[in-house]
Amino acid sequence: MGTPYMPYVNSWRDAVRYTPYTGLMNGNGPTVDRHSAVALNLIRGRRATLGNYNAPGNLGAYLNDLPAQNELTVRDASGAALPGASVRIYRAGPGEGWYAKVYDNTADMSLTAGAAGKVLLGRCPSSATGGITHTNNHSNGVAIVRVQSGDRVGYGFIEATDFNLEHWRGRTALGRHALRVALRKQGSAVGSVDEHAPAERVSQPLVVKNEVSDLVGQ
């Protein structure tokens, strides 16, 4: 975090990523973006089953609308596919506070891209149990992706929101996703640290994720 491999994206140096989804379900009302619109339409014409003034008991249930299988194509910053790349997935573990995320430096999935730069992630690469958790002390909807091609390494993120949209498009059997990463030669970046050095556990304030509105459940 904060190195050329994963630089900060604001002047406060407290975030390395902002979700591209900025509507109601990210707490940015009254804007209703494409993800928010479909999530709301899931309960159109009926009352929320667990709705109340506070966060409903099924907060974020729709995040588990995921294709049965998901294919990820890894690309460099120019958009070129990375055949044979090493792809590692790091899941968010529990922490303290609402929607907490804690990442360590032990990969939860280790994959090798095929000739077209593609890997299969399964239904839910964010979780060992196959489901998205989004509640107090744990939110695992965002996973960190480490991509290595030759002696160059880059990092990116995948989030449940992208998987939801594929599912809602009708691609329930196979979702297709692409991820571009800026690759850097290990140890070559000015001011960088050893990318393989043991890291402290990192909590959610450094990785911003859309926080599902407390007002909407299923």
Side-chain angles (χ1 to χ4, degrees), residues 84-96:
S86 168
V87 180
R88 299 178 187 173
I89 307 295
Y90 298 83
R91 295 169 178 152
E96 296 182 3

Side-chain angles (χ1 to χ4, degrees), residues 119-134:
V119 292
L120 291 177
L121 302 177
R123 177 180 180 273
C124 184
S126 297
S127 170
T129 60
I132 299 295
T133 299
H134 191 72

Side-chain angles (χ1 to χ4, degrees):
M1 298 292 185
T3 73
Y5 295 104
M6 196 180 288
Y8 294 117
V9 295
N10 62 15
S11 59
W12 296 279
R13 297 175 62 83
D14 65 353
V16 295
R17 175 185 185 268
Y18 290 120
T19 177
Y21 302 98
T22 57
L24 179 65
M25 296 303 172
N26 191 32
N28 293 324
T31 301
V32 178
D33 65 346
R34 55 179 176 163
H35 185 261
S36 303
V38 181
L40 287 167
N41 278 328
L42 293 173
I43 57 169
R44 69 181 184 273
R46 58 186 174 89
R47 293 179 62 86
T49 55
L50 295 177
N52 57 73
Y53 179 83
N54 300 305
N58 59 352
L59 171 68
Y62 56 86
L63 293 174
N64 282 291
D65 285 354
L66 309 169
Q69 178 63 274
N70 288 276
E71 175 187 87
L72 178 69
T73 302
V74 290
R75 303 181 183 276
D76 65 16
S78 71
L82 299 171
S86 168
V87 180
R88 299 178 187 173
I89 307 295
Y90 298 83
R91 295 169 178 152
E96 296 182 3
W98 277 99
Y99 316 123
K101 298 175 178 64
V102 175
Y103 300 89
D104 61 28
N105 61 351
T106 300
D108 296 287
M109 297 177 66
S110 296
L111 307 165
T112 301
K118 301 178 185 296
V119 292
L120 291 177
L121 302 177
R123 177 180 180 273
C124 184
S126 297
S127 170
T129 60
I132 299 295
T133 299
H134 191 72
T135 186
N136 190 32
N137 297 328
H138 193 196
S139 179
N140 63 3
V142 176
I144 297 174
V145 183
R146 179 186 186 273
V147 179
Q148 180 169 354
S149 179
D151 62 353
R152 299 180 301 155
V153 173
Y155 286 83
F157 301 86
I158 52 175
E159 65 175 81
T161 318
D162 298 319
F163 291 51
N164 297 156
L165 289 173
E166 283 291 272
H167 185 278
W168 295 338
R169 290 185 183 107
R171 300 169 185 169
T172 57
L174 178 65
R176 290 189 170 92
H177 316 271
L179 177 68
R180 290 191 182 193
V181 294
L183 295 173
R184 293 182 178 274
K185 189 172 182 178
Q186 296 181 72
S188 66
V190 175
S192 69
V193 298
D194 182 358
E195 187 262 339
H196 290 292
E200 296 295 325
R201 302 178 82 205
V202 178
S203 60
Q204 167 61 8
L206 288 178
V207 182
V208 178
K209 167 64 173 74
N210 53 323
E211 296 182 353
V212 178
S213 168
D214 286 349
L215 302 180
V216 181
Q218 262 187 272

